């Protein structure tokens, strides 16, 4: 079960995110649980592997927004870095950045389990 304390332990800015949800803690917790169903994680990985940097940018930008709105900072940070490299069409070490993003996603899953 997801708890606010577990999310704080993870590094989420829970108070900021709940404010975005108009103080509705139940809604916030529900939205956090839905992160694991977010299709843009797989889309980002697939488009980077395929060399489709435009498609990867769209997926990364969408993830950055979702993770930012939920104040899931440990995941938002690598998503933001990936987004900015893709925006600039830079040749970056996307494999390492993706690993960090997915490791943080796994860590969140463990923290809230």
């Amino acid at each position: 079960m997801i708890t606010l304390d577990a999310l704080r332990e993870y590094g989420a800015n829970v108070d900021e995110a709940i404010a975005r949800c108009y103080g509705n803690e139940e809604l916030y917790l529900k939205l956090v649980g839905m992160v694991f169903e977010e299709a843009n994680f797989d889309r980002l990985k697939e488009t980077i592997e395929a060399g489709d940097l435009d498609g990867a940018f769209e997926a990364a930008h969408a993830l950055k927004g979702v993770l930012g709105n939920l104040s899931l900072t440990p995941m938002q940070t690598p998503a933001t870095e990936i987004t900015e490299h893709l925006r600039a069409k830079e040749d970056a070490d996307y494999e390492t950045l993706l690993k960090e993003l997915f490791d943080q996603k796994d860590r969140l899953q463990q923290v809230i389990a």
Side-chain angles (χ1 to χ4, degrees):
M1 178 176 180
I2 303 172
T3 66
L4 297 178
D5 288 337
L7 290 169
R8 283 186 180 99
E9 179 184 320
Y10 172 71
N13 187 335
V14 171
D15 297 328
E16 178 182 88
I18 291 172
R20 280 194 195 94
C21 293
Y22 301 101
N24 188 332
E25 292 178 12
E26 186 176 321
L27 173 61
Y28 174 62
L29 293 173
K30 178 180 177 181
L31 292 172
V32 169
M34 293 173 65
V35 164
F36 302 103
E37 301 168 20
E38 176 57 57
N40 280 304
F41 283 105
D42 290 335
R43 182 172 176 229
L44 175 61
K45 186 176 181 180
E46 291 165 3
T47 52
I48 284 179
E49 288 172 355
D52 177 6
L53 298 186
D54 291 331
F57 172 76
E58 291 174 12
H61 192 263
L63 279 174
K64 175 185 157 192
V66 168
L67 299 170
N69 282 328
L70 296 175
S71 297
L72 296 173
T73 308
M75 275 194 287
Q76 180 192 6
T77 300
T80 298
E81 191 171 346
I82 292 167
T83 300
E84 294 313 311
H85 284 300
L86 289 167
R87 183 187 314 274
K89 298 188 185 294
E90 295 176 352
D91 185 27
D93 183 2
Y94 292 110
E95 185 175 320
T96 299
L97 293 168
L98 281 174
K99 181 178 180 342
E100 181 180 350
L101 177 63
F102 280 86
D103 285 351
Q104 287 300 330
K105 182 181 174 197
D106 291 343
R107 184 174 155 244
L108 176 61
Q109 185 121 34
Q110 291 170 2
V111 166
I112 64 176

